[in-house]
Amino acid sequence: NATNVLEAAHKLEQILKKLLLLSGINRNVQEKVAVRIDEIIWEIIAQLQKNYKQQFQVALNISPEKMHLLTANVNETMIYMALFNLIENAAKFSTNTVFITMAIVNQQLNITIKDTGIGIPPNELQFLKQPFYRSTNASTFKGNGLGFSIATIILEAHHIKMNLQSSLDNGTTITLSLP
Protein backbone atom coordinates (compact mmCIF):
# COMPACT_ATOMS: atom_id res chain seq x y z
CA ASN A 1 0.00 0.00 0.00
CA ALA A 2 0.96 3.65 -0.29
CA THR A 3 1.97 4.01 3.37
CA ASN A 4 4.49 1.16 3.10
CA VAL A 5 5.96 2.65 -0.08
CA LEU A 6 6.34 6.05 1.61
CA GLU A 7 7.96 4.46 4.67
CA ALA A 8 10.37 2.49 2.48
CA ALA A 9 11.23 5.63 0.49
CA HIS A 10 11.85 7.58 3.71
CA LYS A 11 14.07 4.80 5.06
CA LEU A 12 16.05 4.72 1.80
CA GLU A 13 16.41 8.51 1.91
CA GLN A 14 17.83 8.30 5.45
CA ILE A 15 20.30 5.59 4.39
CA LEU A 16 21.43 7.64 1.38
CA LYS A 17 21.96 10.72 3.57
CA LYS A 18 24.14 8.67 5.91
CA LEU A 19 26.12 7.19 3.00
CA LEU A 20 26.74 10.69 1.62
CA LEU A 21 27.89 11.76 5.05
CA LEU A 22 30.26 8.79 5.23
CA SER A 23 31.83 9.74 1.93
CA GLY A 24 32.66 13.27 3.13
CA ILE A 25 33.72 12.70 6.73
CA ASN A 26 37.47 12.87 6.15
CA ARG A 27 37.14 16.13 4.18
CA ASN A 28 34.87 17.82 6.73
CA VAL A 29 36.84 16.83 9.82
CA GLN A 30 39.36 19.56 8.94
CA GLU A 31 36.80 22.23 9.93
CA LYS A 32 37.48 22.24 13.69
CA VAL A 33 36.50 24.72 16.37
CA ALA A 34 36.87 24.79 20.16
CA VAL A 35 33.65 23.48 21.75
CA ARG A 36 32.55 22.42 25.20
CA ILE A 37 31.84 18.69 24.99
CA ASP A 38 29.58 18.77 28.06
CA GLU A 39 27.34 21.34 26.36
CA ILE A 40 26.99 19.05 23.33
CA ILE A 41 26.02 16.18 25.63
CA TRP A 42 23.37 18.28 27.40
CA GLU A 43 21.97 19.33 24.01
CA ILE A 44 21.79 15.67 22.90
CA ILE A 45 20.02 14.64 26.10
CA ALA A 46 17.46 17.44 25.68
CA GLN A 47 16.79 16.18 22.14
CA LEU A 48 16.57 12.49 23.11
CA GLN A 49 14.24 13.05 26.05
CA LYS A 50 11.51 13.84 23.53
CA ASN A 51 11.58 10.26 22.21
CA TYR A 52 12.90 8.15 25.08
CA LYS A 53 11.14 7.82 28.41
CA GLN A 54 14.05 6.68 30.55
CA GLN A 55 16.22 8.93 32.62
CA PHE A 56 19.62 10.18 31.64
CA GLN A 57 21.98 10.58 34.57
CA VAL A 58 25.06 12.73 33.98
CA ALA A 59 28.04 12.89 36.32
CA LEU A 60 30.73 15.50 35.92
CA ASN A 61 33.69 14.20 37.91
CA ILE A 62 36.07 17.03 37.13
CA SER A 63 37.71 19.38 39.58
CA PRO A 64 37.35 23.12 38.85
CA GLU A 65 41.01 23.54 37.84
CA LYS A 66 40.57 20.85 35.14
CA MET A 67 37.35 22.25 33.60
CA HIS A 68 39.31 23.59 30.61
CA LEU A 69 39.72 19.95 29.50
CA LEU A 70 35.98 19.89 28.67
CA THR A 71 36.82 22.06 25.65
CA ALA A 72 37.98 20.17 22.58
CA ASN A 73 39.04 21.23 19.11
CA VAL A 74 36.61 19.24 16.93
CA ASN A 75 34.19 19.44 14.04
CA GLU A 76 31.17 20.30 16.16
CA THR A 77 28.52 18.87 13.83
CA MET A 78 30.32 15.57 13.44
CA ILE A 79 31.06 15.14 17.15
CA TYR A 80 27.41 15.93 17.86
CA MET A 81 26.38 13.20 15.41
CA ALA A 82 28.79 10.63 16.84
CA LEU A 83 27.83 11.30 20.45
CA PHE A 84 24.14 11.49 19.55
CA ASN A 85 24.32 8.05 17.97
CA LEU A 86 26.14 6.45 20.89
CA ILE A 87 23.83 7.99 23.50
CA GLU A 88 20.72 7.22 21.46
CA ASN A 89 21.84 3.59 21.10
CA ALA A 90 22.19 3.37 24.88
CA ALA A 91 18.62 4.69 25.25
CA LYS A 92 17.21 2.63 22.38
CA PHE A 93 18.53 -0.71 23.59
CA SER A 94 17.73 -0.18 27.29
CA THR A 95 14.59 0.69 29.22
CA ASN A 96 16.53 1.79 32.30
CA THR A 97 18.63 4.83 33.15
CA VAL A 98 21.48 5.73 30.79
CA PHE A 99 24.55 6.86 32.74
CA ILE A 100 26.94 9.37 31.19
CA THR A 101 30.11 10.24 33.09
CA MET A 102 32.72 12.82 32.21
CA ALA A 103 36.03 12.58 34.04
CA ILE A 104 39.68 13.48 33.56
CA VAL A 105 42.02 10.50 33.24
CA ASN A 106 45.72 11.10 32.48
CA GLN A 107 45.00 14.73 31.56
CA GLN A 108 42.41 13.61 28.98
CA LEU A 109 38.64 13.95 28.96
CA ASN A 110 36.98 10.54 29.23
CA ILE A 111 33.28 10.15 28.45
CA THR A 112 31.59 6.95 29.57
CA ILE A 113 28.14 6.01 28.25
CA LYS A 114 26.64 3.07 30.14
CA ASP A 115 23.33 1.30 29.76
CA THR A 116 21.81 -1.83 31.28
CA GLY A 117 20.07 -2.98 28.11
CA ILE A 118 20.20 -6.00 25.84
CA GLY A 119 23.97 -5.97 25.38
CA ILE A 120 25.80 -7.29 22.34
CA PRO A 121 26.56 -10.97 21.76
CA PRO A 122 30.34 -11.47 22.35
CA ASN A 123 30.87 -13.16 18.98
CA GLU A 124 29.36 -10.15 17.18
CA LEU A 125 31.42 -7.33 18.73
CA GLN A 126 34.01 -7.58 15.94
CA PHE A 127 31.40 -6.74 13.29
CA LEU A 128 29.89 -3.61 14.88
CA LYS A 129 32.00 -1.13 12.89
CA GLN A 130 30.85 -2.58 9.56
CA PRO A 131 28.24 -0.43 7.78
CA PHE A 132 24.75 -2.01 7.81
CA TYR A 133 25.71 -4.56 10.47
CA ARG A 134 23.07 -5.12 13.15
CA SER A 135 23.53 -7.60 15.98
CA THR A 136 21.17 -10.56 15.99
CA ASN A 137 19.40 -9.38 19.14
CA ALA A 138 18.71 -5.90 17.70
CA SER A 139 16.37 -6.96 14.90
CA THR A 140 13.21 -5.79 16.71
CA PHE A 141 14.60 -2.26 17.19
CA LYS A 142 14.50 0.54 14.60
CA GLY A 143 17.73 1.20 12.76
CA ASN A 144 19.75 0.39 9.65
CA GLY A 145 23.19 -0.46 11.01
CA LEU A 146 24.88 2.73 9.86
CA GLY A 147 24.89 4.91 12.97
CA PHE A 148 27.56 3.10 14.96
CA SER A 149 29.88 2.72 11.96
CA ILE A 150 29.51 6.44 11.17
CA ALA A 151 30.17 7.32 14.83
CA THR A 152 33.28 5.14 14.78
CA ILE A 153 34.62 6.79 11.62
CA ILE A 154 34.01 10.27 13.07
CA LEU A 155 35.73 9.38 16.34
CA GLU A 156 38.71 7.84 14.54
CA ALA A 157 39.02 10.92 12.30
CA HIS A 158 39.24 13.01 15.50
CA HIS A 159 41.77 10.60 17.08
CA ILE A 160 39.30 9.80 19.86
CA LYS A 161 39.85 6.34 21.30
CA MET A 162 36.81 4.17 21.98
CA ASN A 163 36.64 1.21 24.33
CA LEU A 164 33.47 -0.88 24.17
CA GLN A 165 32.53 -3.52 26.71
CA SER A 166 29.26 -5.40 26.54
CA SER A 167 27.57 -8.23 28.34
CA LEU A 168 24.54 -9.96 26.85
CA ASP A 169 21.36 -8.95 28.74
CA ASN A 170 23.41 -6.73 31.09
CA GLY A 171 24.20 -3.77 28.87
CA THR A 172 27.02 -1.94 27.17
CA THR A 173 29.63 0.55 28.34
CA ILE A 174 31.47 2.77 25.89
CA THR A 175 34.38 4.90 27.05
CA LEU A 176 35.73 7.64 24.82
CA SER A 177 39.16 9.20 25.46
CA LEU A 178 39.65 12.57 23.81
CA PRO A 179 43.21 13.55 22.86
Side-chain angles (χ1 to χ4, degrees):
N1 70 31
T3 305
N4 288 343
V5 171
L6 283 174
E7 284 177 11
H10 180 70
K11 200 178 255 187
L12 184 59
E13 178 187 17
Q14 295 302 314
I15 290 171
L16 287 173
K17 282 181 181 176
K18 288 180 179 177
L19 286 173
L20 287 171
L21 170 75
L22 268 174
S23 68
I25 283 176
N26 287 329
R27 277 193 314 275
N28 294 334
V29 81
Q30 308 305 323
E31 302 162 16
K32 294 180 179 178
V33 294
V35 294
R36 285 277 303 252
I37 299 297
D38 57 322
E39 291 175 6
I40 291 175
I41 289 172
W42 286 115
E43 195 176 319
I44 291 167
I45 290 170
Q47 187 67 35
L48 288 174
Q49 284 180 323
K50 298 172 186 173
N51 297 322
Y52 295 95
K53 305 273 185 271
Q54 68 268 55
Q55 297 285 323
F56 293 89
Q57 185 173 323
V58 179
L60 188 62
N61 299 334
I62 301 174
S63 60
E65 67 273 6
K66 303 275 186 183
M67 286 294 185
H68 66 280
L69 294 172
L70 284 168
T71 301
N73 203 29
V74 296
N75 180 299
E76 187 173 7
T77 302
M78 289 190 172
I79 288 299
Y80 180 95
M81 288 176 51
L83 290 172
F84 185 94
N85 179 267
L86 297 177
I87 296 169
E88 183 184 37
N89 281 353
K92 184 189 326 183
F93 296 113
S94 176
T95 55
N96 298 316
T97 302
V98 172
F99 299 93
I100 301 166
T101 305
M102 289 171 270
I104 302 302
V105 178
N106 298 325
Q107 296 301 309
Q108 291 183 304
L109 176 62
N110 274 16
I111 303 165
T112 302
I113 303 161
K114 179 178 176 32
D115 69 66
T116 55
I118 63 171
I120 303 159
N123 60 326
E124 297 182 32
L125 288 170
Q126 61 186 331
F127 304 115
L128 285 183
K129 293 180 182 181
Q130 294 178 8
F132 300 107
Y133 183 80
R134 300 198 70 211
S135 65
T136 53
N137 62 341
S139 60
T140 60
F141 295 86
K142 279 188 173 184
N144 54 35
L146 282 172
F148 188 82
S149 64
I150 290 172
T152 300
I153 291 167
I154 290 170
L155 295 172
E156 287 173 355
H158 283 83
H159 307 289
I160 296 172
K161 293 184 180 83
M162 177 171 52
N163 179 19
L164 185 145
Q165 296 177 324
S166 191
S167 176
L168 202 53
D169 299 322
N170 291 315
T172 301
T173 301
I174 294 175
T175 302
L176 305 175
S177 298
L178 281 73

